[in-house]
Amino acid sequence: MDFRLTEELQQVEEMSRNLARKKFAPEAGEIDERSRYPGENMRLLSELGLLGMLFPAEYGGSEAGPVAYNIALREVAGGCASTAVGMAVTNMVGEAIFRHGTEEQRRRYLPLLAGGKGAGAFALTEPGAGSDAGGISTVALEDGDAFLLSGAKSFITNGGCACVTIVMARTRKSPRRIGAFLVPAGAPGLLVGKQERKLGLKGSDTAELVFEECRVPKSAMLGEAGDGLKIALSTLDGGRIGIASQAIGIARASLSTATGYARDRNQFGGAIAGFQAIQWMIADAATELDAAQLLVYRAASLKAKGRPYTREASMAKIFASEAGNRACLQAVQILGGYGYIREYPVERHLRDIKVSTIYEGTSEIQRLVISRSLTR
Ligand SMILES: Cc1cc2nc3c(=O)[nH]c(=O)nc-3n(C[C@H](O)[C@H](O)[C@H](O)COP(=O)(O)OP(=O)(O)OC[C@H]3O[C@@H](n4cnc5c(N)ncnc54)[C@H](O)[C@@H]3O)c2cc1C
């Protein structure tokens, strides 16, 4: 067992860290303040091959693999969490199209995603179906050589800026059957609804999508008929490792601000870093984030080797998102009043990280996944 990164992985880490620290971090506060979509950051990511990390070069990707991808995502999240979530969903959608798509689907969409011509979006959640993904009510009805999609999807990341959205819809009422469909931007009957106003990740595009008899050809189906839920859940397995990485990146950035502050801030005649209460907060947070990182590496390595990793991805997601939330709270505490105001980034980190225990399956759902896999 060797805990060092290979030379190649170190290069990915250094490149993405430089990009995040030099280009993304300086703008992150303003992106948050103005709820501005970080289009320029997405362009830079595509130039460096960071939007197609999970499919091969023949489709425009960089095929860096899950471990490299999670390292890059973590570093990007440390600079700008809103950028990281756009990057994450675009990579996730690209991978799903590569894995389940036909040659025609791959050639049509993958170069667009990797080339930054538009983001990828993944539309599963609905107003009436979140954790209960099988309970969706959007339908896809056959109409000659096409499907007509009708329904609404909520909270869709990249919903307004995607060049392609994977949409899960019911193709049959009973027995329930769900399909996955590739819906391009501008498809007739696809309406981008309101942009959500959020606690954090304010620069990310989170939109409602409405389908009014949205017509897509039969060739838009991803995978086989009835495979939609399976495709969605397996796609989310990989996505969950990514959420864990985002949480670690955000929390590390917060902890780094807090440790610097603790060294510089004097009270009672000395640096607050000299107080055991502060030292313990820093030590606990750093230890938990390292443990989270090891869980991420394990899950990503299993995925890279083509071995089952559903349980390990859920463990990484719960642990990293919950430890990351604790670390961000502690960072605010260490900065005292300065932690609560916008002069320092830790209040933004706290707002940005909260959703990591919610999206792509809440912590409660991750616990269900883990316990089911252990008790079945
Ligand atoms: C910023 C943001 C971006 C998002 N991006 C996307 C996206 O790109 N695509 C997409 O499809 N969705 C997206 N989502 C939706 C997200 O995945 C859902 O919000 C999440 O899965 C939870 O669903 P829900 O909000 O309907 O909550 P609910 O499912 O209604 O859950 C409410 C509460 O009940 C708990 N609960 C539910 N069922 C159980 C159970 N069986 N046992 C114990 N507790 C339970 C939950 O854990 C939660 O605490 C996004 C959400 C946000 C906030």
Side-chain angles (χ1 to χ4, degrees):
M1 189 176 293
D2 186 351
F3 285 97
R4 284 170 308 177
L5 298 182
T6 61
E7 213 168 288
E8 217 170 84
L9 292 173
Q10 284 175 36
Q11 281 167 7
V12 171
E13 182 176 59
E14 200 183 312
M15 175 187 73
S16 42
R17 187 172 287 169
N18 279 338
L19 177 70
R21 290 190 180 166
K22 291 191 182 137
K23 301 274 189 198
F24 297 170
E27 308 244 320
E30 182 262 337
I31 285 171
D32 171 73
E33 198 76 43
R34 293 177 46 204
S35 298
R36 175 170 72 77
Y37 179 72
E40 174 63 9
N41 292 354
M42 294 298 281
R43 192 185 64 74
L44 290 170
L45 289 173
S46 101
E47 271 177 14
L48 291 172
L50 298 176
L51 293 182
M53 297 185 77
L54 302 171
F55 55 83
E58 60 175 306
Y59 303 105
S62 53
E63 206 177 13
V67 179
Y69 164 64
N70 276 283
I71 289 172
L73 188 57
R74 180 193 72 210
E75 295 302 322
V76 169
C80 175
S82 291
T83 302
V85 67
M87 168 184 171
V89 181
T90 300
N91 272 285
M92 183 174 93
V93 165
E95 184 185 25
I97 295 175
F98 174 67
R99 276 179 189 267
H100 306 286
T102 61
E103 194 54 23
E104 190 201 330
Q105 290 169 339
R106 290 171 169 185
R107 298 229 171 262
R108 175 167 177 192
Y109 293 117
L110 297 184
L112 297 179
L113 293 171
K117 303 282 185 268
F122 175 88
L124 178 61
T125 306
E126 299 184 354
S131 301
D132 180 14
I136 60 172
S137 58
T138 295
V139 288
L141 301 177
E142 289 191 52
D143 182 41
D145 59 356
F147 281 101
L148 297 180
L149 273 60
S150 300
K153 296 286 180 181
S154 341
F155 307 145
I156 304 307
T157 300
N158 296 337
C161 61
C163 61
V164 61
T165 300
I166 302 180
V167 181
M168 266 51 71
R170 274 175 28 204
T171 51
R172 202 198 283 158
K173 211 171 181 179
S174 177
R176 197 167 56 183
R177 216 171 178 200
I178 290 174
F181 298 88
L182 294 176
V183 180
L190 163 61
L191 309 173
V192 178
K194 68 173 183 328
Q195 279 285 334
E196 299 297 348
R197 297 174 65 226
K198 306 185 291 289
L199 174 70
L201 297 182
K202 286 174 179 272
S204 80
D205 164 2
T206 313
E208 175 192 40
L209 298 180
V210 178
F211 300 87
E212 288 181 352
E213 297 203 331
C214 171
R215 177 176 284 273
V216 291
K218 285 220 166 123
S219 60
M221 184 178 273
L222 183 64
E224 300 297 319
D227 276 358
L229 199 55
K230 211 166 72 188
I231 290 175
L233 296 180
S234 67
T235 301
L236 286 174
D237 282 346
R240 286 168 181 169
I241 313 175
I243 304 296
S245 296
Q246 288 174 51
I248 295 169
I250 297 168
R252 277 190 182 174
S254 211
L255 186 61
S256 159
T257 301
T259 49
Y261 186 87
R263 270 194 304 265
D264 295 342
R265 174 72 171 171
N266 288 318
Q267 289 293 287
F268 298 98
I272 62 167
F275 301 137
Q276 196 178 54
I278 302 289
Q279 292 164 354
W280 285 23
M281 281 195 260
I282 291 171
D284 286 349
T287 305
E288 289 198 352
L289 294 181
D290 271 15
Q293 183 61 76
L294 293 174
L295 287 173
V296 163
Y297 283 146
R298 179 179 68 168
S301 304
L302 286 171
K303 179 171 187 238
K305 291 191 173 87
R307 291 174 49 195
Y309 66 96
T310 300
R311 179 170 71 218
E312 289 78 6
S314 287
M315 286 178 166
K317 183 181 187 281
I318 288 190
F319 193 83
S321 61
E322 295 189 351
N325 267 276
R326 281 192 292 276
C328 287
L329 258 181
Q330 282 163 340
V332 169
Q333 192 66 18
I334 290 169
L335 268 75
Y338 291 95
Y340 198 70
I341 61 171
R342 299 218 167 164
E343 193 172 329
Y344 287 88
V346 294
E347 63 82 29
R348 168 166 49 83
H349 293 140
L350 181 60
R351 289 184 287 105
D352 284 344
I353 203 167
K354 176 55 214 151
V355 75
S356 62
T357 63
I358 295 172
Y359 60 10
E360 298 202 16
T362 62
S363 286
E364 292 71 36
I365 295 304
Q366 306 310 319
R367 287 185 166 88
L368 279 184
V369 171
I370 295 165
S371 59
R372 271 185 197 149
S373 81
L374 291 168
T375 54
R376 76 173 161 227

